[in-house]
Amino acid sequence: MRIATYLHDGRTRSGLVDGDTIRPLPDGIGPLDVPRDVRTGEPVLLAEVRLLAPFQPPTVRDFVAFEEHVEGVRKSIDGRAGVPEAWYDAPAFYFTNPYAVIGPHDDVPIPPGCRVFDFELEVAAVIGEAGRDLTPDQARDHIAGYLIMNDWSARDLQGREMQVNLGPAKGKDTATTLGPWLVTADELEPYRDADGFLRLALTVSVNGTEIGRDLLSNMGWPFEELVAYASRGTWVRPGDVLGSGTCGNGGCLAELWGNRGRQDPPPLEPGDVVEIVVEGIGAVRNTVVAGGDPVPLPRARPRPRHRPRRSA
């Protein structure tokens, strides 16, 4: 099934995508709890609705599972070549902002203070059943489905704040595209290769010019292993989103900048249209727009290092 959330006639609903139509689900049934024998309403043309993000995730973990991406972005951010040895030990991730989720066709404002804006071509798995300390085999049964993810990035903000060694924060805080709908896991099983990876073709274009092309099967770990690692010592719960991380071969501009030694293609500007297409899932298409100015804050104040006196 392909399960979408949409706005039509002033009402937000979920529905099953069927060709160029969407069949509304009964009230109270959302994308993560659709029974197989559900009855749907009269179909509506997709062209007549506004697609929204399929759901509001409680958490968004973003992995960095493509070796080629790590190598290129490392060159771009800090000028160092190669891939850190620690990358091979376990699938690293960070938590990004669930409140920044936007729909597949929404405008994307440039973050306040950003002058070097970038896209990131990703696919994400969505948890359908709670679990913890899962094995990869168990994790497969906990994945409800997959969708496209674009982890928009303020590269200049990211490069500065990561010098503090805490990972990205405001560099990744303004927008994350999810959509165009949730594709249930069974729909993508025909794409699974002999090594357990989903062999899906990925492309991204800016203003109609293709920038990047890769295969999802070039991940260092399949999604089941990402889910198993995420569940180690904690819970994954329904609606949690786990991004693959950006693919290689032009999955983002920063990778190309690192490999080419210059900002070619240039950073995104207002008016640029970024389209991502993923085989077996669909497409998302967002337009970059101007954002607001940052609210000014002072620099940290160096403080005298007084210590409280010890009591007698």
Side-chain angles (χ1 to χ4, degrees):
M1 291 187 290
R2 298 183 175 201
I3 311 162
T5 298
Y6 63 98
L7 183 65
H8 182 246
D9 286 343
R11 186 178 176 191
T12 298
R13 305 193 66 171
S14 294
L16 303 183
V17 177
D18 183 9
D20 61 357
T21 68
I22 188 164
R23 295 183 283 122
L25 291 167
D27 290 342
I29 296 181
L32 298 174
D33 55 6
V34 181
R36 287 289 171 183
D37 59 351
V38 67
R39 292 187 176 184
T40 57
E42 289 297 315
V44 178
L45 288 173
L46 275 171
E48 296 178 357
V49 309
R50 176 190 170 197
L51 289 174
L52 307 175
F55 56 91
Q56 176 61 53
T59 67
V60 182
R61 295 171 176 87
D62 198 11
F63 285 80
V64 58
F66 287 85
E67 184 179 24
E68 187 176 8
H69 168 74
V70 174
E71 186 174 22
V73 170
R74 193 184 194 203
K75 288 180 186 176
S76 177
I77 296 293
D78 58 24
R80 290 185 289 176
V83 176
E85 190 60 33
W87 180 84
Y88 298 95
D89 294 337
F93 68 91
Y94 71 96
F95 282 96
T96 191
N97 185 0
Y99 303 121
V101 166
I102 64 172
H105 301 133
D106 290 348
D107 290 344
V108 182
I110 294 178
C114 171
R115 297 181 181 277
V116 187
F117 198 39
D118 197 359
F119 60 81
E120 296 205 17
L121 163 51
E122 307 189 23
V123 172
V126 178
I127 299 298
E129 179 183 348
R132 64 178 294 150
D133 292 311
L134 301 171
T135 66
D137 285 343
Q138 292 170 334
R140 181 170 295 184
D141 294 331
H142 289 256
I143 297 175
Y146 301 88
L147 38 67
I148 297 172
M149 176 170 166
N150 186 343
D151 174 35
W152 301 88
S153 299
R155 295 302 186 191
D156 46 351
L157 305 186
Q158 178 188 4
R160 176 185 54 78
E161 64 196 4
M162 289 188 71
Q163 296 176 41
V164 186
N165 294 324
L166 279 181
K170 282 298 173 185
K172 303 275 192 171
D173 205 33
T174 293
T176 299
T177 299
L178 295 180
W181 35 66
L182 176 68
V183 178
T184 54
D186 59 302
E187 292 274 332
L188 297 184
E189 278 304 304
Y191 295 94
R192 195 174 295 279
D193 67 17
D195 295 319
F197 293 87
L198 296 175
R199 188 180 173 86
L200 307 180
L202 319 171
T203 60
V204 59
S205 63
V206 176
N207 302 328
T209 299
E210 184 176 297
I211 301 296
R213 174 179 291 267
D214 203 358
L215 289 171
L216 188 61
S217 52
N218 286 333
M219 294 167 63
W221 300 265
F223 277 105
E224 291 77 10
E225 293 175 8
L226 302 187
V227 173
Y229 185 69
S231 76
R232 185 182 293 178
T234 190
W235 287 91
V236 290
R237 297 193 182 276
D240 286 354
V241 168
L242 288 78
S244 63
T246 309
C247 70
N249 194 41
C252 69
L253 297 174
E255 176 204 325
L256 298 176
W257 299 338
N259 290 330
R260 296 173 180 176
R262 62 187 186 280
Q263 287 188 345
D264 176 28
L268 298 173
E269 297 180 347
D272 285 342
V273 178
V274 178
E275 183 172 29
I276 290 173
V277 180
V278 175
E279 183 180 11
I281 297 181
V284 299
R285 191 174 189 267
N286 300 100
T287 300
V288 176
V289 298
D293 294 327
V295 174
L297 291 174
R299 289 172 55 86
R301 287 74 134 186
R303 308 300 295 159
R305 299 187 183 183
H306 297 311
R307 301 289 184 259
R309 292 184 179 178
R310 232 178 245 182
S311 59

